[in-house]
Amino acid sequence: MDEGFKALADPTRRRILRMLGRGEMSAGDIGKEFSMSAPSISHHLSVLKGADLVEGRREGQQIIYSLNTTVTQDLLAFFMEVFPGKGQLEETQ
């Protein structure tokens, strides 16, 4: 989970996750949304893969990325535990 938090610390990686939340994308399509070099995008995707937040599969010459929903759900559950909604907070007091 620590690698997940480290990956989420960067705004570029958070933006990539939001993009992938709308559906699968190739590395090239992801790169088109940023004004940075392909190696920089590759680095961000590598960090996200290392944290198991995204998965990649090869289709011919391209790598198609998607969210790893299992890990993202685990992180979301952690945040909901730590920062409960108003109703949950009142119930535990």
Side-chain angles (χ1 to χ4, degrees):
M1 194 174 292
D2 289 343
E3 290 299 314
F5 289 123
K6 179 181 171 185
L8 291 173
D10 185 274
T12 298
R13 292 192 282 269
R14 291 193 304 268
R15 184 172 167 204
I16 291 170
L17 290 174
R18 281 193 296 275
M19 291 166 56
L20 292 174
R22 295 188 299 265
E24 296 180 329
M25 296 180 76
S26 70
D29 288 338
I30 293 168
K32 289 176 188 174
E33 299 294 320
F34 296 91
S35 59
M36 62 178 68
S37 68
S40 293
I41 293 295
S42 180
H43 168 74
H44 286 296
L45 289 167
S46 178
V47 171
L48 290 168
K49 280 181 67 175
D52 287 330
L53 292 172
V54 300
E55 299 171 329
R57 74 174 191 285
R58 184 165 292 279
E59 281 190 8
Q61 297 276 333
Q62 296 184 343
I63 298 177
I64 306 298
Y65 289 93
S66 61
L67 284 180
N68 180 347
T69 54
T70 302
V71 174
T72 53
Q73 286 174 346
D74 289 346
L75 284 172
L76 181 58
F78 171 80
F79 280 115
M80 291 176 75
E81 254 179 58
V82 173
F83 305 106
K86 187 175 193 254
Q88 291 174 324
L89 185 60
E90 289 172 354
E91 291 174 11
T92 59
Q93 291 181 353

